[in-house]
Every structure is written in C-alpha cells, then in structure tokens.
Amino acid sequence: MWIFAEIPNELYNPEYYKAVEEFMMHGCCGSARKNSPCMLNGRCSKFFPNKYVHNSMLDIDDYPIYCRRDNGRTIKKNDIDLDSRLFVPQTRPLSFHLPNEQSIIFDDGDNVDDVVNRPIVSQSMFIAWFEANMKYEDAKCLTYSEMPRKFVWKKDKREWHPRQRNFTIGRIFYVPPNCGELFYLRCLLNLVRGLKSFEDIKLVDGVHYTSFRDACYARGLIEDDKEYVDAIYEASLWSTIYSLRELFVTLLTSNAMSKSEMVWDAVWIHLVEDVEYHARKCIGIPDLVLIDTQKKNYTLLEIEKLLHGCNKSLGDYPSKSIPDGITNSFFFGNRLVYEELAYDQQALKGEHDVLVGKLTKEQLVIYNKVMLDVDNNKRGLFLSMDMVVPGKPFYGK
C-alpha cells in the first residue's frame, strides 16, 4: 500500500477532500502568519512547509518520507491557499515485539530488579491490542495496523480506547527479512484479526504451529523454495562442488529461502559429492567409505567457513543442522581407526544376511546368544569357533 501526502481531487473524492481539509492540513504559518502557535524564533517548529517528493521512501532511520507531488491542488483556509507541502498524514507508528521482548526505558542509575518488576513492563502497546480484542467487539474486526482507525492509544493509561472523532492511519514498524521471527510476525499482523495472545497468531485452520515462520508458510505468505532447489540442481550439472556450496551460502545470507532446511534436505546430495574423495586423499586410504552423516557434517563445516567470510554462522539459522562436536580433524586422526571403519555397511549387511541363512542349528543358537548380549549391551567374552575343543559342546561365553 502506497501513502500519498497529497491533496485529493475534490470532484472525484469529495469525502476524502473534506477530511483532509478538516483534519490533515497544518495551516498557515511562516511569513504569512507569524503569530501561528507553531512558530518559534521566526520558523515553523514542525518544519513546514515540506519539500515536494516524487516517490515514497524510507530515510536512514527507517522513517517514511511520503510521496508529495505538486499536483496543483489547494485548500483555502483563512483566505490563504494551502498546497500539498502543508499536508499532514495522520499516522500512528505501531510497535510490536516477540514474547517477553518488549522495549524497556530506564535511567542509568535505576536498579535492574526494580525496572523489570515495574507494572508497565508488561503493558506494551502491542500486548494492549490483545486486551482490547478481549474487551471490545469492534476491535475483533481489525488488524493491528487498522486499530488506529477506530481506537486511540492512551499512553498514560497504557490502553486502547474507542475513538470519538477523526481517524488515523496505522503504520507497523518495518523490519527486514533477516530479523527472522520478528519479520514473520509482522507479516501475520497485516492479516490476522481479533487475536488475544501470541499463541493465537500461530493458529492456522485449527493447527497450532511452533513458530511464526511456519504459520506464515501455512497461510501461503511465503514461497515453497522450489525455484532454489531447481537452481542448485541445474548448477550441479556443470558447476564445481565448491561453487555449489557458495551458491547455497549466497541464498542463505540473502534471506532468499523461506525454509532453508527443506532446501538443504533436497540438495545436500549434490553438495557432498567431493567429500569422500578429499577424505581418501587426506588419509591415504583409497577405498575409504563414509556414511551420509559424516559427509553432511563435513559439508556443513565447509559451509560454516564460507559463512564466516560474510560475518554469519549456521547459528544464525536456527533450523539449520549444526555439526555437534565435529571438526575437520575427523579426517586427520588415527589411520588404524579409519582403516577399521572403512567398510561398506550395505555390502556387509548383504553378506551377513546370506551367511546367517547358512548357519546350522547349533551355530544359530550361538549366534542368537551373542546377538542378544550385544543388543542388551552386556559385557562378556566370546570365543571364536576355532577355539572350541572337538567333541565338547560350546556355549559361547
């Protein structure tokens, strides 16, 4: 939605024109009326008149500069024609926050415990919106940004009260996508109505989601990221594995993906293709076989290195798998251990199934005894068959 700080056309929008005339014009000041209440030291204390601006934008502090074009329209007050430079959009900045993360104002010398225990700490404008929805029927029909149209914020009472006259345009504070849950909360606040708690915001069609991001996804407010999966798959046909990881990191840091963990689950197989080759080269074991978990951990560590170059970390993406206690030293340890672990588990399982089917009844009894103790994590000594004395029964332990 675009906001124009301009005088409307009286013929096409007579009601809007009348509202602007009555409520939204600053009035005459400056050299034309030096005794205006806003005048201070010969200048308007409200910094009117404003400059003409052709496009709405945000200043360096993220405050809006509204489109204010010279459309030639004026409103006459006290026999003076006022143009769009004196138009005052009636906007109410609306703050919001995540659970228990509301802003607290205090002096340097205040005791921390006293500050935290103040009653007003839990009485933010946003939480008061929940309370208004429980108290007023009209509030239940409004989104948070629509609230100032029919209600006014009483700062001294920390409450929303029904508006007696006029109206105001609500403007929810802007937050960029890299703010995570705060960004997704803002997306939902432009849509949901009549909510009474933070948990209600996460409720979609009777299903309660654990995060605001998942609630956005359920409402169709964010994409399914299929185009990013396709992009990585297409690049895998010609690009190096290192470049594929760089592409994945670029998507992460640009906040382009809505659910990065789903993209990772779909494309990780393309990002790990060189891991086994590098491990064999470093350790010197030509037939070393790594399981998928080892490949993923190594690749995530490589992605972590690339993220550090962008002043980011996997920890900045809570849904992303993070290697636990694994380092690149995994591939530079004891050679004997790697040789012992360098086997193809699937091939061994197939061989095992074939050999078990060839066991005699006596051998199967011993096999089951050993496997039962192993499954129950019992300690014991198991003798190989070549240590059995001929002619005597063998019971294993």
Side-chain angles (χ1 to χ4, degrees):
M1 179 179 69
W2 291 95
I3 299 177
F4 295 88
E6 299 175 355
I7 297 174
N9 190 305
E10 185 177 8
L11 296 178
Y12 291 104
N13 298 289
E15 293 185 3
Y16 183 23
Y17 183 90
K18 185 177 180 180
V20 170
E21 179 182 21
E22 185 174 356
F23 305 119
M24 294 185 167
M25 296 303 294
H26 174 66
C28 184
C29 64
S31 58
R33 190 184 176 193
K34 296 182 179 180
N35 61 345
S36 174
C38 67
M39 294 297 291
L40 182 65
N41 297 326
R43 300 181 62 181
C44 176
S45 61
K46 306 299 181 183
F47 304 106
F48 283 96
N50 287 299
K51 295 180 180 180
Y52 287 121
V53 179
H54 291 284
N55 295 292
S56 295
M57 64 186 75
L58 297 175
D59 65 14
I60 58 175
D61 296 317
D62 285 339
Y63 282 94
I65 299 176
Y66 298 117
C67 179
R68 191 188 304 267
R69 297 168 297 185
D70 184 6
N71 56 16
R73 301 177 191 135
T74 61
I75 289 177
K76 187 180 291 291
K77 281 194 173 185
N78 298 323
D79 296 327
I80 297 177
D81 290 329
L82 308 177
D83 58 31
S84 294
R85 291 178 298 169
L86 297 170
F87 184 100
V88 186
Q90 298 295 317
T91 61
R92 155 58 71 176
L94 299 173
S95 61
F96 67 103
H97 55 82
L98 295 175
N100 298 318
E101 293 188 13
Q102 57 265 40
S103 299
I104 301 175
I105 300 175
F106 57 91
D107 296 327
D108 290 341
D110 291 346
N111 183 276
V112 175
D113 292 333
D114 293 340
V115 172
V116 173
N117 292 324
R118 289 175 184 170
I120 62 172
V121 168
S122 60
Q123 297 175 349
S124 68
M125 177 189 293
F126 185 48
I127 293 177
W129 176 56
F130 295 146
E131 298 171 352
N133 288 333
M134 292 186 280
K135 187 176 181 180
Y136 303 106
E137 287 297 322
D138 289 345
K140 296 179 182 178
C141 304
L142 304 173
T143 64
Y144 187 44
S145 61
E146 294 170 344
M147 196 68 175
R149 295 184 183 180
K150 295 186 178 181
F151 289 81
V152 61
W153 171 246
K154 299 289 187 179
K155 188 175 181 180
D156 55 338
K157 297 182 179 179
R158 315 290 294 180
E159 295 176 349
W160 288 97
H161 285 223
R163 185 178 290 277
Q164 301 300 319
R165 60 187 178 88
N166 303 342
F167 73 96
T168 298
I169 300 172
R171 182 180 67 85
I172 303 178
F173 286 155
Y174 169 79
V175 293
N178 59 8
C179 288
E181 280 291 271
L182 198 62
F183 170 78
Y184 296 114
L185 173 59
R186 187 182 189 276
C187 292
L188 292 167
L189 293 179
N190 287 308
L191 181 67
V192 295
R193 291 176 167 83
L195 305 181
K196 301 175 182 179
S197 67
F198 284 101
E199 298 306 311
D200 285 352
I201 303 177
K202 302 175 186 177
L203 190 66
V204 182
D205 295 331
V207 179
H208 183 266
Y209 293 88
T210 57
S211 67
F212 297 119
R213 186 192 64 159
D214 290 341
C216 279
Y217 191 83
R219 290 182 178 273
L221 300 179
I222 53 181
E223 301 292 338
D224 59 4
D225 293 333
K226 184 178 183 300
E227 64 268 32
Y228 304 116
V229 174
D230 293 342
I232 293 176
Y233 172 74
E234 182 179 350
S236 70
L237 301 177
W238 54 268
S239 179
T240 65
I241 309 303
Y242 181 82
S243 296
L244 287 180
R245 293 179 191 141
E246 284 187 320
L247 173 58
F248 186 78
V249 168
T250 299
L251 294 175
L252 273 179
T253 55
S254 64
N255 297 291
M257 298 181 289
S258 301
K259 286 199 168 186
S260 58
E261 74 278 12
M262 293 181 64
V263 176
W264 163 260
D265 290 339
V267 305
W268 69 265
I269 191 68
H270 302 297
L271 306 181
V272 304
E273 289 184 358
D274 64 341
V275 173
E276 206 164 65
Y277 167 78
H278 286 301
R280 290 172 177 175
K281 186 177 180 180
C282 291
I283 300 171
I285 304 177
D287 56 350
L288 176 67
V289 177
L290 300 177
I291 62 176
D292 288 346
T293 301
Q294 293 170 325
K295 295 177 182 178
K296 288 180 180 179
N297 281 338
Y298 179 87
T299 302
L300 287 171
L301 285 165
E302 292 300 303
I303 290 174
E304 179 76 358
K305 289 180 182 178
L306 293 172
L307 285 172
H308 283 171
C310 305
N311 292 321
K312 293 287 186 178
S313 169
L314 286 173
D316 297 326
Y317 308 92
S319 57
K320 177 73 31 239
S321 301
I322 301 177
D324 183 15
I326 306 294
T327 67
N328 280 346
S329 61
F330 173 83
F331 296 107
F332 300 94
N334 191 310
R335 178 187 174 91
L336 296 177
V337 173
Y338 291 121
E339 289 177 345
E340 185 66 25
L341 295 175
Y343 49 75
D344 188 332
Q345 294 186 8
Q346 294 300 322
L348 287 179
K349 183 178 184 304
E351 183 181 358
H352 161 271
D353 294 341
V354 172
L355 294 177
V356 168
K358 297 180 179 180
L359 294 177
T360 64
K361 291 183 179 180
E362 293 79 7
Q363 291 173 329
L364 192 59
V365 170
I366 299 170
Y367 170 84
N368 290 333
K369 173 67 175 175
V370 173
M371 294 303 296
L372 180 62
D373 286 353
V374 171
D375 291 339
N376 293 325
N377 200 26
K378 290 185 177 180
R379 297 181 179 180
L381 176 63
F382 302 97
L383 303 177
S384 61
M385 295 301 295
D386 57 2
M387 297 180 65
V388 177
V389 178
K392 293 185 179 181
F394 172 68
Y395 298 102
K397 202 168 182 178

